[in-house]
Amino acid sequence: KAVWIDTRPDSFFKQGSVRNAVGLLFDKSATPGNALNKDKLEAAVQAAGLSRDNAKVVFFCQGPECHRSYNAAYVAVTQWGFKPENVIWFRAGYPLLVKEIQADAKLKRKAATYLTDEAVANL
């Protein structure tokens, strides 16, 4: 019951992401070019067959140095009314996730379960 939101630029998303993640670029609130807003986040939750009251929303980007996912999680709670207990900032980010999968033979065999086809091809 989780919706993964990839806040990285589309060029990163196309190279690979978490399976079934929704790519919605986010920088800081009200920054021109953001693809993520309240309506799009709610639409992503609904498209997953969930409601904003019970869905876990997981925001991720390139890791701790990248602030896109942190900013998105913060805005989702403070401005868009999502419950703090339902918003998760995956601080480690996508590169660490891929690194962990590459380092573990069992996870690597099941990578297609966790990652998009593009990501698996790049392992």
Side-chain angles (χ1 to χ4, degrees), residues 75-119:
V75 169
V77 171
T78 62
Q79 296 177 23
W80 299 341
F82 282 77
K83 295 177 184 177
E85 61 270 18
N86 288 344
V87 173
I88 299 165
W89 172 37
F90 184 61
R91 183 174 189 234
Y94 178 76
L96 182 63
L97 177 65
V98 170
K99 184 177 178 181
E100 292 294 319
I101 290 171
Q102 288 174 323
D104 185 316
K106 187 184 279 186
L107 288 176
K108 195 169 184 180
R109 282 193 302 275
K110 297 181 178 183
T113 304
Y114 313 116
L115 302 175
T116 61
D117 294 342
E118 296 82 8

Side-chain angles (χ1 to χ4, degrees), residues 42-56:
E42 288 177 346
V45 169
Q46 281 187 330
L50 303 170
S51 77
R52 68 181 281 153
D53 293 328
N54 68 6
K56 300 293 182 189

